[in-house]
Amino acid sequence: MSGSTFGHLFKVTTWGESHGPALGAVIDGCPAGLSLSCIDDIQPLLNRRKPGQHEVSSSRKEPDQVHILSGMFEGLTTGAPINLIIENEDFIKDDYDDIKNIYRPGHADYTYFSKYGVRDYYGGGRSSGRETAARVSAGAVAIKILTELGIQVHAFSRSIGPFESKATNINYLETNTNPLCMPDDDQFPLALDYVKECKKNGDSTGGVIECHISNLPAGIGEPVFDKLEAVLAHALLSIGAVRAFEVGDGFTCSMAKGSTFNDSILSVS
């Protein structure tokens, strides 16, 4: 199966299945001499992602403890490939016996079987959302590098279902710790009740995630197919639950005139 590797200079390959013994990521291209700690740099981001923390999150219970198997010496990266591993603990394969002959709608069950002739029905295998745990562990290393360069990356839930936060001054520490990762304005309690009601009824809902990147130098990316927006879209749309991607006002610009939406040049240095 190809398609599990992303990137060029900083290359990430994720591996493992939802209900296998473990999953993880191999990072190739991390510079040598970077101070890196599982406990301080990677685990906090995995703790934000891990299931079973709140009544509105996935009911699966996983400690999501990450370990570094290679590419480190005395707390510093060596420049060799870094192998990150996260062991699965809460996987009961018998839970899937009743649906092993049923293709789930909105999932990759039928697609994978049609393409490969083999179907891993235990939680979806590689197509499971659990694959993102490996991405988060590798992304934590990338964030460590970006932080060293003064580049900041923050993301939060802008809306959930029909409830959209209008907050402009985002408190990232606050959004990182609440169960919906959403600004704590008047829309937050409404969104929380809405998610609880969906879960109570055996249903689910969608939302919009907003990401802010600051201090990024000009010239990142390459022309045409590897421009920055294209690479970001590639990464995000490869997540199974992501159905759309926009930069700036994105879809809103389709309703605007060019004379009002034009991105004017204010100064050239």
Side-chain angles (χ1 to χ4, degrees):
M1 181 186 296
S2 61
S4 293
T5 299
F6 179 80
H8 297 291
L9 299 179
F10 185 90
K11 186 180 296 185
V12 175
T13 301
T14 67
W15 56 268
E17 289 78 40
S18 171
H19 282 57
L23 71 162
V26 176
I27 302 170
D28 199 3
C30 181
L34 179 73
S35 175
L36 184 65
S37 164
C38 265
I39 296 175
D40 297 329
D41 299 318
I42 304 177
Q43 196 61 55
L45 294 186
L46 271 175
N47 289 344
R48 282 183 57 195
R49 182 219 165 271
K50 72 180 181 180
Q53 299 187 74
H54 310 288
E55 60 179 317
V56 295
S57 64
S58 169
S59 58
R60 182 170 178 172
K61 300 287 187 180
E62 289 286 357
D64 277 357
Q65 292 293 320
V66 62
H67 302 282
I68 300 177
L69 300 183
S70 65
M72 296 288 300
F73 181 74
E74 295 184 347
L76 298 177
T77 58
T78 64
I82 297 173
N83 194 354
L84 304 169
I85 183 172
I86 304 164
E87 294 182 355
N88 289 324
E89 294 189 8
D90 184 17
F91 58 100
I92 304 173
K93 293 187 175 182
D94 291 345
D95 289 346
Y96 291 87
D97 284 346
D98 292 341
I99 63 168
K100 64 181 180 181
N101 296 315
I102 301 173
Y103 296 115
R104 289 170 289 177
H107 209 282
D109 285 353
Y110 181 72
T111 304
Y112 270 50
F113 181 73
S114 297
K115 182 175 178 64
Y116 299 107
V118 177
R119 176 186 168 221
D120 181 353
Y121 58 85
Y122 293 131
R126 283 292 290 162
S127 65
S128 169
R130 181 139 180 78
E131 183 268 343
T132 59
R135 299 187 191 215
V136 170
S137 64
V141 180
I143 284 179
K144 177 75 173 184
I145 298 172
L146 293 175
T147 302
E148 296 274 324
L149 298 173
I151 300 169
Q152 298 294 316
V153 181
H154 299 285
F156 60 96
S157 300
R158 172 58 73 182
S159 67
I160 295 178
F163 304 101
E164 179 180 357
S165 170
K166 301 298 183 183
T168 54
N169 296 319
I170 308 299
N171 184 331
Y172 299 118
L173 291 177
E174 174 188 275
T175 59
N176 287 350
T177 55
N178 79 44
L180 298 182
C181 296
M182 189 176 184
D184 190 10
D185 57 12
D186 60 342
Q187 295 298 291
F188 170 74
L190 299 175
L192 185 59
D193 288 343
Y194 181 72
V195 175
K196 289 179 181 179
E197 186 66 21
C198 286
K199 189 170 184 179
K200 178 182 176 181
N201 295 330
D203 209 340
S204 60
T205 185
V208 174
I209 297 171
E210 187 169 312
C211 180
H212 296 170
I213 305 174
S214 57
N215 302 323
L216 193 67
I220 299 296
E222 299 298 331
V224 191
F225 294 112
D226 284 336
K227 64 182 70 173
L228 181 60
E229 290 100 332
V231 174
L232 290 175
H234 180 184
L236 290 169
L237 287 170
S238 67
I239 298 173
V242 176
R243 298 290 87 191
F245 173 83
E246 66 176 358
V247 176
D249 288 329
F251 301 114
T252 306
C253 71
S254 65
M255 298 178 285
K257 293 180 178 179
S259 57
T260 59
F261 196 76
N262 184 37
D263 188 9
S264 300
I265 298 176
L266 300 179
S267 64
V268 177
S269 58

